Amino acid sequence: MAKVWLSKPLCCRYVLAEFKTLRLPVRDGAEVRDMSWRWALGLFKPGQYEVLGAWPAGAASVDVAHDLHQRGIEQLTAISADAGMDCSTTFPDAVCWSSVSELNSTSVSAAGSFGPRRRAALRSAAATAQRLQIGITRTIKRRGPFADDAAAAAFLAQALERADRRLYGT
């Protein structure tokens, strides 16, 4: 069920895709290692968000962008992502930056690309993504190490699906 949810169709236009990275502890014999996953929150109009999906952090940026495009996204106005995430080949018109502080800076081209209302909406989306990140991270810590990669991925998918439902108020 959760895996199907991660491949759900998406809206064709988003103002922002905000990418974050989560680390999930996974048992590897007697040791525990971290498994990293990248997830994204989409803003399609002020105050309306949707979890766009999750991908192993090792997945190539072009594969993540291709997945988003295949699931329906035709236009992204802005992309905020960790270093190493580049969606410019699939979404060449998107303005990209790597942190909210860049968006707040008047000297950065990303900030100059948007008016004050759009920047406020983008900052709100970044804050929403950060709140979700903190909540999911707490849940992961309470859950403890996962038995294997599949259990960690299934847990993450369920956590993101619950977060998505909360965003919609259902």
Side-chain angles (χ1 to χ4, degrees):
M1 167 94 171
K3 190 156 180 100
V4 171
W5 177 82
L6 283 175
S7 59
K8 68 183 178 179
L10 298 169
C11 186
C12 64
R13 293 175 190 227
Y14 288 86
V15 175
L16 171 70
E18 173 85 20
F19 288 87
K20 298 282 191 188
T21 302
L22 287 165
R23 289 176 181 24
L24 294 94
V26 177
R27 291 197 189 281
D28 191 3
E31 307 223 351
V32 174
R33 63 175 168 78
D34 279 342
M35 177 181 175
S36 294
W37 279 77
R38 182 179 292 136
W39 68 279
L41 178 71
L43 167 68
F44 47 93
K45 56 177 145 175
Q48 294 191 329
Y49 310 100
E50 177 176 28
V51 174
L52 301 177
W55 307 267
S61 299
V62 69
D63 293 337
V64 172
H66 180 72
D67 176 55
L68 292 171
H69 184 71
Q70 288 294 103
R71 291 173 43 220
I73 298 179
E74 296 172 4
Q75 180 182 348
L76 273 173
T77 304
I79 299 170
S80 174
D82 302 336
M85 180 67 191
D86 177 21
C87 295
S88 61
T89 55
T90 307
F91 303 106
D93 296 332
V95 175
C96 301
W97 67 91
S98 62
S99 71
V100 176
S101 61
E102 281 188 40
L103 183 62
N104 291 329
S105 169
T106 56
S107 63
V108 173
S109 62
S113 299
F114 305 111
R117 291 175 78 181
R118 179 64 54 94
R119 280 197 306 269
L122 296 174
R123 281 192 296 273
S124 174
T128 299
Q130 187 61 28
R131 280 193 304 276
L132 290 176
Q133 175 87 1
I134 290 167
I136 293 169
T137 299
R138 284 183 188 147
T139 303
I140 290 167
K141 285 180 181 177
R142 280 194 308 267
R143 172 64 172 76
F146 299 93
D148 55 27
D149 291 354
F155 177 83
L156 179 60
Q158 289 173 346
L160 289 170
E161 185 176 10
R162 281 191 304 270
D164 199 49
R165 282 194 208 128
R166 282 193 304 270
L167 289 170
Y168 281 110
T170 58

